[in-house]
Amino acid sequence: MESRKRPRQSEEKNNGESIIQTPHTLRLLKLLSDGTEDHAKLAASQLEITASTSTPLVLWDLLGRLAAFLISSEEWKCRQHTSWAMEAVAQYLPHCNQVQFMQQKWETDDGKATTKYMWLTVKDLTTQLAQVLKHGRLLYAEPSSSINDDSDELNEEFESGKERIQRQRRLLVRRLGLGGIMSATRSCAEDLLPQDITTSDLESTVRKKVKKSPSSEPINIRALLVLEWQQTNSHDSDHAHPQHLLATEMLFRMFDAHWQVRHGALLGISSLLKSWKKISQGHTAKTSLDDLGAWPTDILAKSLCVLALDRFADYGSADNSFAPVQHMAAQVVALLFEWSPVSVKEEVCQVIQQLLSNQDTWEIRQGGWMAVQFLIAITGDYLQEWVSSGIVALLDGSPDVVAVVAKILTLAIKRGQIDQVQTIDFESLSKNLSTAISRHAESSVSACAVPLINLMTCVIMKRDHKECYLDWCNSIFSRLQRFLTFESSAVQLASLHAISQ
């Protein structure tokens, strides 16, 4: 009597039968959302093992589940854990999908520029950033009732993933203020997806016209990814690739009205880029613009737009609040900056400089300085220019901006001690630091107290200048003693560390 073989990893069947993930895989997915950090890391590593022996169809189904977690979960840890798993799983997708995404050119085979994706480049932003700031849809923590809703257009009937990509990218142009019409949307992904789907379910999901109502069924991105792979794999030349569908979904959610969705989408984009770069670049450490490709360049430009438009900066406690969406967008910018050629790097710096020089809105300046923070941390490029501007920016009227600048200068001093690649004007730094402390750090609820104290500690520890600034050190000692009376344990610890130096 023959014994039935149990599938080793994920099982898939075509022609209308179910695509099923094994119970083991489903338990690992559960750990991502509900487990501790250690459990989630273990789950991500186990999913990587599962992915290494799975077929592309099962992999796209799995990535669709992870994408749903990222753009629907309100739990920070779930989004973070899912991003680890996405990076681990995505590297096992077909090599051609990864290389095609990372290296796709701006032109078609006949040399003509393609406009079907409505690419946005960093060079475009150097001249159109003012248009984005003036007409782009601002991104708050939650949607505002005063903005229009363009979800009807997104939910219209469409027949393929290619059509969905085109619709989403048209809406993105409008949301960025580059289409002349202001618009907004509510996230289409609200619930986690069912455990298994059939080919007939896929087709009905894609062709179903969704009417706008609170109980409307969201478009199933997982179903679309699986169907997209099936049709692309059948050599349908008029079909988009599933990696384009997934990336566009993440790009679209980067400008969602809910901050958790934007944060999850940026985590997903970052995970995909890190994973696919390993394969597409092979042995090379850096890429040229051609190697970087149209898609990553478009992501770089739109991440800069997120820095300009996001206004949610109050996550965390009163004395340690920060802007999670800008924080993540800045990491994506730095990641792609590292791989870019010099010409694109210079354009990125031009856009960031426009953000830093904006005097109307402090969140815009904060977004620019966050980008600088990660550029220095990841690449170290243009360090001297940013340090000189940062010393002046300590006099900024916003404590949130000053907090980011203090972190940048602290990092620059530490790097200078090791590499000695730049000269810091310690006289101006000390003077502006004292002014910043007087303006912002005296309040027990100031978000910049700890960063300023840490910067003060770095200045004190700079042995080459300690004797020259002994009087300055004595003048701040009383302030450090006052910081010890603050209720915040972080402020107290930072002050004790500074006093010990």
Side-chain angles (χ1 to χ4, degrees):
M1 182 176 175
E2 289 187 11
S3 59
R4 292 185 61 185
K5 275 191 175 181
R6 186 177 179 179
R8 290 178 55 196
Q9 304 292 341
S10 297
E11 179 183 333
E12 62 176 81
K13 296 182 182 179
N14 293 318
N15 303 321
E17 297 184 40
S18 295
I19 301 166
I20 304 173
Q21 298 287 353
T22 63
H24 175 64
T25 299
L26 296 176
R27 285 193 294 269
L28 293 176
L29 292 173
K30 186 69 173 175
L31 279 178
L32 291 177
S33 60
D34 298 339
T36 64
E37 182 173 334
D38 290 339
H39 288 154
K41 289 181 178 179
L42 177 61
S45 64
Q46 289 297 311
L47 283 172
E48 180 176 359
I49 295 173
T50 298
S52 66
T53 58
S54 297
T55 62
L57 193 60
V58 171
L59 288 174
W60 280 116
D61 176 84
L62 185 55
L63 275 180
R65 295 172 188 269
L66 296 175
F69 276 43
L70 282 173
I71 61 179
S72 65
S73 176
E74 296 185 359
E75 295 294 328
W76 183 293
K77 70 171 186 177
C78 178
R79 296 193 298 272
Q80 184 66 62
H81 297 168
T82 302
S83 69
W84 300 338
M86 179 171 278
E87 182 178 351
V89 171
Q91 64 182 307
Y92 293 102
L93 289 170
H95 182 273
C96 60
N97 288 156
Q98 301 182 47
V99 173
Q100 202 275 343
F101 178 83
M102 295 296 294
Q103 300 182 3
Q104 177 175 326
K105 304 297 189 293
W106 302 94
E107 298 83 17
T108 56
D109 294 337
D110 58 4
K112 297 180 179 179
T114 177
T115 58
K116 67 178 182 178
Y117 291 132
M118 291 170 282
W119 306 112
L120 181 66
T121 68
V122 182
K123 186 175 183 179
D124 294 332
L125 281 184
T126 60
T127 58
Q128 297 184 22
L129 181 62
Q131 178 83 358
V132 173
L133 291 174
K134 183 177 181 180
H135 298 295
R137 192 193 74 180
L138 301 182
L139 306 171
Y140 297 98
E142 298 293 337
S144 170
S145 58
S146 62
I147 56 180
N148 297 324
D149 190 351
D150 58 19
S151 57
D152 277 345
E153 182 171 347
L154 175 62
N155 288 335
E156 290 176 3
E157 182 179 0
F158 53 88
E159 294 185 356
S160 68
K162 179 179 179 180
E163 177 66 13
R164 181 172 180 80
I165 289 175
Q166 291 172 341
R167 289 179 186 277
Q168 287 181 324
R169 294 187 74 88
R170 279 199 300 269
L171 290 176
L172 278 177
V173 170
R174 291 170 55 185
R175 293 182 183 186
L176 291 174
L178 301 176
I181 302 175
M182 295 298 293
S183 56
T185 190
R186 175 69 172 92
S187 170
C188 284
E190 294 294 337
D191 303 307
L192 298 183
L193 305 175
Q195 288 191 1
D196 52 51
I197 48 180
T198 66
T199 303
S200 58
D201 291 333
L202 295 171
E203 294 172 350
S204 63
T205 299
V206 174
R207 290 177 171 80
K208 179 181 177 182
K209 183 170 182 177
V210 182
K211 295 183 179 180
K212 181 182 175 183
S213 69
S215 60
S216 293
E217 191 72 21
I219 294 298
N220 191 329
I221 182 60
R222 170 183 156 217
L224 288 170
L225 286 172
V226 172
L227 181 61
E228 196 68 28
W229 169 256
Q230 289 177 328
Q231 296 190 2
T232 302
N233 202 38
S234 64
H235 308 291
D236 182 353
S237 60
D238 192 43
H239 226 265
H241 296 285
Q243 68 271 22
H244 296 169
L245 178 62
L246 179 59
T248 300
E249 187 73 24
M250 296 291 103
L251 272 169
F252 186 70
R253 302 305 172 192
M254 280 168 51
F255 296 88
D256 193 88
H258 294 73
W259 80 265
Q260 295 96 334
V261 178
R262 300 196 297 275
H263 183 253
L266 285 161
L267 279 169
I269 283 287
S270 176
S271 297
L272 293 176
L273 289 172
K274 290 176 183 177
S275 181
W276 292 348
K277 172 182 178 285
K278 298 173 186 176
I279 295 296
S280 63
Q281 292 181 326
H283 63 278
T284 60
K286 290 183 178 290
T287 63
S288 67
L289 177 60
D290 289 338
D291 290 332
L292 186 61
W295 278 94
T297 304
D298 185 65
I299 292 170
L300 174 57
K302 287 187 169 66
S303 297
L304 288 167
C305 290
V306 172
L307 292 175
L309 296 174
D310 191 85
R311 297 291 183 270
F312 177 53
D314 299 324
Y315 185 84
S317 59
D319 62 347
N320 190 31
S321 62
F322 72 106
V325 177
Q326 286 185 330
H327 189 266
M328 198 63 232
Q331 291 185 52
V332 174
V333 168
L335 187 68
L336 290 167
F337 184 91
E338 184 182 18
W339 310 338
S340 299
V342 174
S343 60
V344 176
K345 288 183 176 181
E346 291 176 349
E347 291 165 357
V348 171
C349 290
Q350 290 179 36
V351 174
I352 292 176
Q353 190 58 51
Q354 291 185 52
L355 297 177
L356 299 181
S357 60
N358 185 285
Q359 298 302 313
D360 298 328
T361 309
W362 66 266
E363 291 98 338
I364 297 175
R365 298 194 299 278
Q366 177 180 254
W369 282 115
M370 278 195 173
V372 172
Q373 179 182 358
F374 285 99
L375 292 185
I376 291 178
I378 294 179
T379 70
D381 292 342
Y382 303 94
L383 186 58
Q384 180 60 51
E385 292 84 347
W386 299 130
V387 167
S388 300
S389 299
I391 291 175
V392 176
L394 282 173
L395 302 178
D396 194 281
S398 166
D400 299 80
V401 173
V402 171
V404 179
V405 172
K407 293 175 183 177
I408 292 170
L409 294 175
T410 299
L411 177 61
I413 293 174
K414 290 180 177 179
R415 286 208 168 195
Q417 287 176 330
I418 299 173
D419 305 325
Q420 296 182 351
V421 294
Q422 81 285 330
T423 302
I424 297 177
D425 183 358
F426 274 85
E427 183 175 357
S428 297
L429 172 59
S430 302
K431 180 180 177 180
N432 291 355
L433 177 56
S434 296
T435 303
I437 291 174
S438 299
R439 285 182 179 177
H440 304 298
E442 300 295 339
S443 170
S444 61
V445 295
S446 174
C448 65
V450 172
L452 286 175
I453 294 171
N454 289 337
L455 175 58
M456 186 190 302
T457 304
C458 282
V459 174
I460 295 172
M461 292 175 63
K462 190 68 175 176
R463 296 178 182 275
D464 297 340
H465 301 270
K466 185 177 292 185
E467 292 184 5
C468 299
Y469 295 99
L470 184 60
D471 292 339
W472 177 80
C473 293
N474 291 333
S475 70
I476 65 174
F477 185 75
S478 60
R479 289 180 176 177
L480 290 173
Q481 289 179 310
R482 189 160 57 252
F483 288 144
L484 292 175
T485 65
F486 283 15
E487 294 182 2
S488 170
S489 58
V491 173
Q492 293 175 0
L493 288 173
S495 301
L496 284 172
H497 181 54
I499 290 174
S500 67
Q501 302 305 317

